[in-house]
Amino acid sequence: MAIKVVVIDDEPAAIDVMKYYINMTPSLDLLAAFSDSGEAVRYCMQQQEIDLIFCDIEMPLLNGLEIAGHQKGKTAIVFVTAYTHYAVEAFNLNVVDYLVKPVRYERFLQAVNKYKEQNAVSEEDHFFVKTGVKGCLEKINIADIIQVEGAKNYVTIWHGNMKTMTLLNLKDLEARLPGRDFCRVQKSSIVAIKHIVGLKGGVIALSNGQLVPIGPTYKEEVVQLINSRLIN
């Protein structure tokens, strides 16, 4: 499956270079390119199929660092900039790579391959967890997961008609889940987007009957996610 890409840069010539490189790379599919960062952010809020954003940093209205912060890890980002002094701040945002203009195609490919390596785990359709019985493991199909709830060093996984508790860090488990299919709705809870059946008064209803309050930190992101699929 092709990696769906968006380009954001206020310089038309830089956009042309990225378009050329993307068209040369069979594994990439260019969805859109923007010279207006505000327009780009609005598009990204509504489009749930973006895998990777190639983004300039110094731009009018919203700079690349602000755009990366807005994404909150939802979409992978590669910065493409003429400046080196943003590198530390950029990598603190967990971006995939940092390309300095002018960018050679070989260097561009390195960033693409780095993204592929980082996301190879997301292509898995299952994983195993330890149960309370010594020496026993339980298989969890990712497609069956409805909700994951963390409590200290334990997580509880609701999958299908089952509930499994295991000694695991919620952050580590989140890294194994495909970002486009799951959404963190509070500090201790991640839900499968396809199992959200309703939203009322700041509470999400899931297909298994569970009601999960949305945490204040995640409210804007969750509401945007729901609104992006709202038919007026």
Side-chain angles (χ1 to χ4, degrees):
M1 184 179 293
I3 300 166
K4 299 186 184 300
V5 175
V6 167
V7 175
I8 308 172
D9 198 309
D10 64 327
E11 298 178 4
I15 289 179
D16 288 342
V17 170
M18 287 294 105
K19 283 183 175 180
Y20 179 65
Y21 286 172
I22 291 165
N23 289 334
M24 286 177 60
T25 312
S27 60
L28 301 182
D29 176 19
L30 179 63
L31 295 179
F34 298 92
S35 57
D36 184 312
S37 59
E39 184 181 349
V41 167
R42 286 190 292 273
Y43 175 84
C44 293
M45 287 170 56
Q46 297 169 359
Q47 175 60 261
Q48 297 299 315
E49 302 303 318
I50 304 169
D51 297 311
L52 181 61
I53 298 173
F54 287 93
C55 187
D56 190 15
I57 293 184
E58 288 201 357
M59 295 182 289
L61 190 59
L62 290 171
N63 65 44
L65 299 173
E66 291 171 323
I67 291 173
H70 184 81
Q71 289 298 307
K72 295 181 180 177
K74 182 178 69 174
T75 306
I77 290 181
V78 171
F79 280 131
V80 186
T81 177
Y83 305 96
T84 60
H85 59 270
Y86 293 109
V88 173
E89 190 172 357
F91 282 110
N92 284 337
L93 291 168
N94 294 319
V95 299
V96 173
D97 210 339
Y98 190 98
L99 307 183
V100 179
K101 300 175 183 177
V103 180
R104 295 178 294 106
Y105 181 61
E106 292 78 9
R107 183 66 184 89
F108 172 85
L109 274 183
Q110 286 181 11
V112 173
N113 289 332
K114 189 173 180 181
Y115 168 82
K116 290 179 180 178
E117 291 171 2
Q118 290 180 358
N119 289 271
V121 125
S122 297
E123 297 175 1
E124 296 176 350
D125 61 0
H126 69 276
F127 54 82
F128 289 89
V129 297
K130 296 179 180 179
T131 68
V133 180
K134 186 176 181 180
C136 290
L137 302 176
E138 183 173 342
K139 180 181 178 180
I140 307 289
N141 291 314
I142 291 176
D144 294 338
I145 296 175
I146 300 170
Q147 182 194 4
V148 180
E149 186 175 29
K152 295 185 178 180
N153 294 322
Y154 285 87
V155 297
T156 301
I157 305 168
W158 281 267
H159 53 115
N161 297 318
M162 301 174 62
K163 182 174 75 170
T164 301
M165 180 179 285
T166 184
L167 182 62
L168 193 65
N169 183 280
L170 183 64
K171 184 177 180 181
D172 293 337
L173 179 55
E174 183 177 23
R176 303 296 296 265
L177 301 175
R180 69 173 64 185
D181 297 328
F182 291 85
C183 178
R184 190 185 280 258
V185 298
Q186 54 175 261
K187 185 178 180 180
S188 60
S189 182
I190 299 167
V191 302
I193 295 170
K194 69 179 182 180
H195 285 289
I196 297 175
V197 297
L199 173 65
K200 183 177 181 181
V203 177
I204 283 177
L206 298 176
S207 61
N208 64 350
Q210 286 179 279
L211 300 176
V212 185
I214 303 171
T217 305
Y218 303 93
K219 183 176 181 179
E220 181 180 356
E221 183 179 352
V222 174
V223 170
Q224 287 175 0
L225 173 65
I226 300 295
N227 286 342
S228 71
R229 305 186 182 198
L230 177 66
I231 300 177
N232 294 311

